[in-house]
Structure formats: structure tokens, C-alpha cells
Amino acid sequence: MCGVVGIAGKSPVNQMLFDALTMLQHRGQDAAGIVTCHNGRLFLRKDNGMVRDVFHTRHMRALLGNYGIGHVRYPTAGSSSSAEAQPFYVNSPYGITLAHNGNLTNAADIHEDLFSADLRHMNTDSDSEVLLNVFAHELQKRATLHPQPEDIFHTVRRVHERCKGAYGVVAMITGHGIVGFRDPNGIRPLVYGSRLTETGQTEYIIASESVAITALGFKVERDVAPGEAIYINDEGELFSQQCAAESRYRPCIFEYVYFARPDAIIDGISVYKARLKMGEKLANKILAEWGEEHDIDVVIPIPDTSRTSALELANTLGIKFREGFMKNRYIGRTFIMPGQQQRKKSVRQKLNPVELEFKGKNVLLVDDSIVRGTTCNEIIQMARDSGAKKVFFASAAPMVKYPNVYGIDMPAKAELIASNRSVEEIKDIIEADRLIFQDLEDLKNAVRTDKVPTVTEFDCSVFDGLYVTGDIDVAYLDRLEKSRSDSAKKDKDGYIDVNIDAASVDLTGIKES
């Protein structure tokens, strides 16, 4: 999962891009990058690390220009090398930079076509670089010195025809403008906004989540529709067009469960309200299965994502809601981290129990989901060490049984605790006294709203194994299994990476090696 942003401004955009990436930091803490354009020259800074660590004063001063794009990443394809930090760049045609959120499911096939038929070279294993080269190649075939909106939309149309999977994209065409587009299923989110400057001119922003738009004082215009492209030219004019032959709303439901900020609005649906309804429906399931005599004294959320659901669950059950864990906000998300030992150590560093909320009580711990189960086991043990009599566990999401292929770096199927196990078996593994999961249909109904009749279907592949792009088979999942296991990641990233500080790199005229 990643976060992208593009801004077409009337004044320098470096600080705005930095602020937007900070608002999107929850979508990836592995790497960050910004590229800006000034007088036909590009200025780039990208590296591994959090936004605040990648960009220092000297870097910000060097990012000149009124147009730019940015990216925060955690790796789902390729490796975690700083060489794969985005945005990516190709010099032909025009000089194009691109930032991508999602994952191409046919990247390997396209990679071969780009090399053998399109005569394009790629320097990394990233599917984002594949997508960039498809976009660049199709735009170059238009053979025009000054691309017009119809050239851009034709190019995006060809991208949709060649690329399968999930993608929310922002790209900058040097000296010509910024384009944003979304996959035909709308799996990954993308939204745009605008604002008037003091002189009455209009600035535009395209981003992964609405929070990056509103925080900068822009007005959210609307979500980019599945298959649609938005183009802002160098004169500040905005054009949009549907570029997919077939499109429909099937957003990733895990955005609402876990990834998006609770104050985000995705495809017109409030993430906060969806999580409230998740808690309400989970409470009703507890009453149906455990009965009125559920024996729960207090509901405690696992910070932070589950807090909204846990609060409404407690309200529905009519029992106390308490904060039982204090979170160290300087530790990253644990299921992203490679290696079981590192994850276990991270949990103890990240969460510290408030013992008085546990001592002598039957506690219900609520989390947004259970993936590997490693953190659940550690947290349950922390609750017992703090004096809890019984520890019950509730997941606001259904059982995660299948790997994600659309941009979430969930582990190999064999490492998912719910893969080929029953609820009772999982309960025993994580050492809970009771365990309950959300029903999938209840989750869908929690996200659906009559106010947004266009969004009724979702990508729920991690729960039901139904991949909405229709191109995922057993062979694909087997290959994914080999590349996503902890051992595979360790082997892939077990080399010395030489990083070049690109504080003020002028990319004009750079030749691809």
C-alpha cells in the first residue's frame, strides 16, 4: 500500500507536497519521494525512511517549481531497496515521472513485452516502473511535440488495455502537466480537489485520500471514477475523461477496515461511519452467539485503527469502553515488518498496558483484523500479565484467508493464521478464552450506504478468495507465495545498497543505463 499526491499550483509546491505526504504517512513508512518541475527541469529527492527523515531543509530548498508529485511507500513488489523508492522517471518522451499505489498482476508479462517489442529498458523489479514505461511508450507513439488532452486520454486508455490489477496513479509530463488515473475497478482510491489563490487563480491537487486535500486548504471536488483520467495542463486547465471500455466500482474493502484514516472519505463513503457500523454489527453477532450473559466487563481497543469500531461495539453492548494500551507512535505497523521475532519485539515496544484496566476483569480486546496472529498472541499475553481474569478477542474484519494481490503486502498464504484453520483452532493458537470474527456480509453492509448507490460491490479477495480482475489462478498464487515469504524477502534484501543523495538532481537529459 502506498500514498500518492500531485499538485498543479501557482506558486512553489514543495511545502504543500511535503505536508500532503505527511498526511498520507499511514499508507507507507518505508520510503518517500518528491519530484518538482521548474522551467522544464526536474528536481528530485527520494530515499528510504519516513517523510520527516527523507526531507531536510536543504532538500526542500532544492525542490523548485509550481508543479510536482510525491509518494510514500511500503514495498509490495520488488524489494525495499532505496533504488525502488518513487517517483520513477523516464526521459522519453518529454521526461515523465510517475508515482503508483497498487499492484499490477500481469507485470511479468508486460515486462517481457516492453523489453522485446517496445525496446524499453527497466532498472528495477518494481511493477510501478513497468506501468511508467507502458504509459511512456504509448504516449510516445502519439508522436506529437505538444501533447493535447486527447493524447493523454488515448494513452491512459492503452494503459487500461495492457495493464491488469490495481492502480491509483499520478504522473508529471515535464513542461506539459499532471495526470491522475485509476484502475477500471477502482480498487485503489484516488480523489482530486481545487482551491482559489488570492489572485483568483485555481490550483489543483490529486491524492490517495481526501485528508491530504482538506489539510492543505483545498476543497474536495470528487473521487476519480474507476477507469477515469484527470489531466491538468501547464496553463492550469483541467480535463477529464472515462478511458476504460468497461468500469465499475469495486474498491478494496480493506481500505475501510484498516488502511485509510478514519476521517477520510473514499468514493463518497465515510471511513469513520463505516467503522462505527462494523462495531455495531460485531456487537450484534456477539449477542447472537455468546448471548446476553457474555461475561465481558470491559471493551479495550488495540490502538489505533480499531478504536472506532470498539467504541461502537461497547455502546451497543452497553458495557464500559476503556483505553487499556498506550501506544508508542514511533514504531511502524508490525505486519509490514519482515520476520516473526522482529514483529514480536516491535509489539512489546509499541504497546504498553495500563494495568488497572485489566486487573481482575474479563476483557474483550478488539482489533481491526487478524493477519498472522503474532501480535494477537503477544497482546493477549500482555493482558494476562496485567492481571486479566479472562481475555476475549474480537476482529472487526472476517478471517483473512488469502493473500492480497492488489497492493497490500500481506504475507504468503501459509503464513496467514486463518488459512485452513477454524475459529476454534485460531483461538487456541493465540491463547484467547473466546474469539469472534465479523461476518463478510455484515462487513459489506457496514460500508455500503444508500447515499452512494454506485458502490455496492467490493474487492474482498483476502476474505473470500474472489479476485475481481479475473486473472488470478493457482500458478500465480504459487509464485506469489515464493516471493512473499519471510525467507524470500530476507534473501531479496540481503545485499548492500549504495544510496545516492539526490537532494537537487537535475534529471533533464539523463540517459537510462
Side-chain angles (χ1 to χ4, degrees):
M1 187 64 61
C2 302
V4 301
V5 61
I7 299 178
K10 300 300 181 182
S11 60
V13 296
N14 52 356
Q15 186 64 51
M16 287 190 286
L17 289 167
F18 177 92
D19 293 342
L21 291 184
T22 301
M23 296 301 294
L24 296 172
Q25 185 73 85
H26 59 285
R27 300 187 67 86
Q29 302 96 43
D30 182 74
I34 290 175
V35 62
T36 58
C37 180
H38 178 64
N39 291 334
R41 301 178 72 181
L42 298 180
F43 301 89
L44 168 72
R45 168 64 183 171
K46 62 178 182 177
D47 200 357
N48 282 355
M50 306 276 276
V51 174
R52 64 172 182 261
D53 299 321
V54 171
F55 301 101
H56 300 155
T57 301
R58 67 182 186 278
H59 306 131
M60 297 299 294
R61 287 175 175 168
L63 293 169
L64 308 176
N66 298 348
Y67 276 56
I69 64 174
H71 186 266
V72 287
R73 177 200 77 171
Y74 85 75
T76 57
S79 75
S80 57
S81 163
S82 60
E84 296 192 6
Q86 297 185 40
F88 281 123
Y89 168 81
V90 290
N91 62 8
S92 178
Y94 316 113
I96 300 174
T97 46
L98 179 143
H100 165 219
N101 169 35
N103 188 57
L104 300 186
T105 55
N106 64 338
D109 295 334
I110 301 175
H111 191 288
E112 180 60 31
D113 290 341
L114 285 167
F115 177 75
S116 60
D118 299 345
L119 303 180
R120 283 195 165 261
H121 168 76
M122 279 157 290
N123 204 44
T124 72
D125 295 326
S126 172
D127 64 320
S128 301
E129 191 181 15
V130 170
L131 195 154
L132 167 60
N133 275 275
V134 170
F135 182 88
H137 179 74
E138 296 299 334
L139 185 56
Q140 188 166 16
K141 286 167 63 177
R142 300 293 285 181
T144 177
L145 186 61
H146 300 289
Q148 299 301 307
E150 56 265 29
D151 298 308
I152 304 301
F153 297 140
H154 173 84
T155 298
V156 175
R157 192 173 302 115
R158 287 291 296 143
V159 170
H160 291 329
E161 291 170 0
R162 294 185 65 177
C163 298
K164 295 181 180 180
Y167 44 91
V169 174
V170 292
M172 183 166 62
I173 305 169
T174 307
H176 297 286
I178 286 178
V179 59
F181 58 92
R182 192 177 180 191
D183 65 84
N185 290 292
I187 300 172
R188 291 289 150 241
L190 201 65
V191 61
Y192 83 94
S194 67
R195 73 177 181 186
L196 289 176
T197 66
E198 293 180 356
T199 58
Q201 296 175 296
T202 304
E203 298 178 312
Y204 292 99
I205 181 172
I206 306 170
S208 292
E209 288 185 30
S210 59
V211 293
I213 294 176
T214 55
L216 270 62
F218 285 78
K219 173 190 173 185
V220 172
E221 294 293 343
R222 62 176 175 85
D223 293 271
V224 177
E228 185 185 19
I230 302 287
Y231 177 55
I232 305 113
N233 66 16
D234 59 343
E235 296 180 355
E237 299 172 305
L238 184 142
F239 306 86
S240 65
Q241 189 174 112
Q242 175 56 250
C243 299
E246 295 182 8
S247 65
R248 62 197 301 183
Y249 278 96
R250 289 187 284 197
C252 173
I253 205 163
F254 222 78
E255 290 277 358
Y256 300 93
V257 170
Y258 180 79
F259 265 104
R261 277 179 43 144
D263 49 340
I265 307 291
I266 298 178
D267 290 320
I269 299 171
S270 165
V271 174
Y272 178 77
K273 287 186 177 180
R275 289 179 184 168
L276 284 176
K277 287 193 282 187
M278 290 175 204
E280 178 186 351
K281 291 183 180 297
L282 188 55
N284 289 332
K285 184 176 180 181
I286 288 173
L287 292 172
E289 294 194 1
W290 296 359
E292 296 284 348
E293 303 300 322
H294 45 65
D295 205 25
I296 302 168
D297 295 323
V298 62
V299 172
I300 294 176
I302 311 299
D304 283 315
T305 322
S306 64
R307 184 174 286 114
T308 307
S309 297
L311 178 60
E312 190 63 16
L313 183 151
N315 288 337
T316 304
L317 292 179
I319 56 180
K320 290 187 294 184
F321 171 89
R322 291 290 185 267
E323 294 286 353
F325 293 102
M326 296 298 107
K327 184 177 180 180
N328 181 344
R329 301 184 184 279
Y330 304 98
I331 302 291
R333 287 178 166 176
T334 52
F335 89 77
I336 295 172
M337 296 180 178
Q340 293 286 73
Q341 292 303 317
Q342 188 175 351
R343 277 186 290 273
K344 288 182 179 181
K345 181 180 178 182
S346 176
V347 174
R348 292 281 180 169
Q349 292 175 336
K350 183 168 69 172
L351 296 177
N352 193 54
V354 181
E355 291 194 6
L356 63 87
E357 296 296 353
F358 293 93
K359 196 166 185 178
K361 299 176 183 178
N362 297 334
V363 299
L364 174 65
L365 303 181
V366 181
D367 208 351
D368 49 71
S369 59
I370 300 176
V371 182
R372 284 183 171 94
T374 310
T375 58
C376 299
N377 183 272
E378 286 292 306
I379 290 167
I380 289 169
Q381 188 57 50
M382 289 165 65
R384 294 195 192 280
D385 292 345
S386 299
K389 285 198 302 182
K390 293 181 181 178
V391 182
F392 310 135
F393 207 96
S395 168
M399 296 168 70
V400 177
K401 297 182 177 182
Y402 305 93
N404 185 282
V405 302
Y406 299 128
I408 300 177
D409 192 25
M410 285 184 175
K413 188 173 187 292
E415 295 170 359
L416 296 170
I417 193 171
S419 175
N420 301 316
R421 289 191 179 97
S422 67
V423 175
E424 193 67 21
E425 288 172 327
I426 299 170
K427 176 184 76 69
D428 292 340
I429 291 172
I430 66 174
E431 299 180 340
D433 292 293
R434 274 182 172 176
L435 173 65
I436 195 165
F437 288 89
Q438 185 85 263
D439 287 335
L440 180 54
E441 202 55 39
D442 281 346
L443 175 60
K444 292 178 183 179
N445 288 330
V447 181
R448 291 179 182 129
T449 172
D450 293 338
K451 295 181 180 179
V452 188
T454 54
V455 184
T456 59
E457 300 178 73
F458 303 92
D459 169 59
C460 303
S461 52
V462 296
F463 306 123
D464 59 16
L466 301 176
Y467 297 95
V468 297
T469 53
D471 59 332
I472 306 302
D473 55 20
V474 174
Y476 183 95
L477 294 177
D478 285 344
R479 292 194 300 272
L480 193 70
E481 184 94 5
K482 293 176 182 178
S483 66
R484 280 197 177 174
S485 67
D486 282 340
S487 59
K489 288 181 179 179
K490 183 178 179 181
D491 291 341
K492 181 178 287 186
D493 290 332
Y495 59 86
I496 297 174
D497 177 44
V498 179
N499 177 46
I500 298 174
D501 185 331
S504 178
V505 180
D506 176 8
L507 295 177
T508 307
I510 286 181
K511 295 180 180 179
E512 295 173 25
S513 59

